[in-house]
Amino acid sequence: MRADDLQIDWLKCFVTVVDAGSLSAAAPEVSRSQSAVSMQLQKLERAVGRPLLLRGPRRLELTPDGQALLGYARRLLDLHAEARAALRPDTLMGRVHLGVPDDYAARYLTPVLKRFAARHAAVEIELDCEQSTRLIPRVARGELDLALVSRDHAQRGSLLFHEPLVWVGSPQFDVWRRDPLPIAVYEDSSLARKHALTTLSLQGRRHRVVYHSSSLAGQIAAVESGLAVAVLTQCSAPPHLHVLGPEHGLGPLAPMAVAAYRSRASRGSPAVDALHRVLVQTLRQAV
């Protein structure tokens, strides 16, 4: 083997560290000690001949060369996993308890399940649809094997993409003109709720919460009836509602960081391994 060959183990450590945000968070993900992960990264940097990661004040940061390598590393790892799966002689079986929020289910889960079923039709999937704030503690407790969630902090799961948040209102009612602004919100712990209230406070715009609902259907109903405006993920905003913005006196919203979050209890499950791999690969390529 040539000294500058890029070994799969090195690339796996590199990608895991980037997704986890630190060496200490990545170590259990690859079943290695923190010092072993650091050594793998050093070997990769020697093979490349350039630094790939810089230690920032709070987290590791990619160098320009690291950013360039990251895309290739993900593709190589995906192909490696596909090759192993294709050559595996046995039929994969088992059950995966999966969680996903309502607003991500239709847009993002359908292509994942379609791709997974074509490869592993014998695996049974049990699906729960709830808000991320409820899914995250269930994964942490091992009640769910895997979930697609909006991150509540930077090291939660493997980052897949950023989903924009948008203000929406009914085209039949100029609710956005009212003062104070009536808004529909999710439960107290909701990240979308926090982003909405923070934006309005920073704008100094008067507002009042007139409607609470933990479901996407409930939020849409409040907007359609002219009761309030709401904040939805862009992927879940129905086309018949108007997306509102600065011209309506509503400021920009921070996007949601969407991640694949897996329970520790599911480590070593081939069925969960396979679905996690397909989930990450499909959504990183599609979004």
Side-chain angles (χ1 to χ4, degrees):
M1 184 178 294
R2 291 173 45 179
D4 59 351
D5 284 344
L6 306 182
Q7 296 186 28
I8 290 294
D9 284 350
W10 303 348
L11 295 174
K12 184 176 182 180
C13 282
F14 172 59
V15 171
T16 304
V17 167
V18 172
D19 289 341
S22 69
L23 271 68
S24 59
E29 298 290 327
V30 293
S31 301
R32 292 178 180 270
S33 66
Q34 183 174 335
S35 59
V37 172
S38 178
M39 187 176 298
Q40 296 288 77
L41 292 178
Q42 291 172 18
K43 290 178 180 178
L44 179 60
E45 288 183 324
R46 284 199 295 269
V48 173
R50 301 174 186 179
L52 302 173
L53 291 166
L54 298 175
R55 294 182 182 273
R58 294 184 179 179
R59 59 182 284 123
L60 295 172
E61 298 177 1
L62 284 166
T63 66
D65 291 312
Q67 188 66 56
L69 177 62
L70 182 60
Y72 291 109
R74 293 196 193 281
R75 288 161 57 189
L76 286 167
L77 291 174
D78 287 342
L79 286 171
H80 180 260
E82 282 191 21
R84 292 186 61 185
L87 296 173
R88 189 178 294 122
D90 56 315
T91 300
L92 188 63
M93 302 183 70
R95 172 187 284 189
V96 181
H97 199 167
L98 175 67
V100 63
D102 287 334
D103 47 351
Y104 295 155
R107 173 65 178 83
Y108 297 122
L109 191 59
T110 300
V112 171
L113 295 182
K114 182 177 180 180
R115 189 173 184 180
F116 183 79
R119 301 179 184 180
H120 308 294
V123 174
E124 179 183 350
I125 296 176
E126 183 178 349
L127 180 65
D128 283 7
C129 289
E130 294 183 293
Q131 291 298 309
S132 294
T133 48
R134 296 182 182 179
L135 294 174
I136 288 171
R138 293 187 64 194
V139 174
R141 292 193 299 265
E143 296 172 8
L144 295 173
D145 297 313
L146 178 65
L148 184 66
V149 299
S150 297
R151 269 183 167 177
D152 54 351
H153 65 70
Q155 295 184 7
R156 179 77 68 191
S158 300
L159 179 65
L160 302 178
F161 58 90
H162 288 86
E163 175 67 26
L165 288 175
V166 293
W167 294 98
V168 294
S170 169
Q172 300 176 16
F173 307 96
D174 290 339
V175 177
W176 55 272
R177 295 183 183 276
R178 299 178 190 171
D179 184 27
L181 177 73
I183 60 173
V185 294
Y186 288 106
E187 69 276 10
D188 289 345
S189 57
S190 164
L191 294 176
R193 174 190 177 121
K194 291 177 182 177
H195 287 325
L197 296 181
T198 297
T199 295
L200 292 172
S201 296
L202 289 174
Q203 284 186 267
R205 178 151 188 186
R206 298 201 313 155
H207 58 276
R208 61 190 179 95
V209 175
V210 299
Y211 186 87
H212 293 262
S213 175
S214 60
S215 75
L216 174 62
Q219 296 290 315
I220 293 174
V223 175
E224 289 176 333
S225 65
L227 183 64
V229 300
V231 169
L232 302 180
T233 51
Q234 183 173 277
C235 67
S236 67
H240 63 277
L241 297 181
H242 277 176
V243 174
L244 308 174
E247 65 274 22
H248 304 97
L250 294 168
L253 297 154
M256 308 290 269
V258 182
Y261 182 37
R262 180 176 179 175
S263 72
R264 291 186 179 273
S266 72
R267 302 294 174 189
S269 166
V272 181
D273 288 346
L275 182 55
H276 181 266
R277 182 167 56 247
V278 172
L279 178 71
V280 171
Q281 181 180 352
T282 302
L283 296 186
R284 279 184 175 156
Q285 288 178 349
V287 179

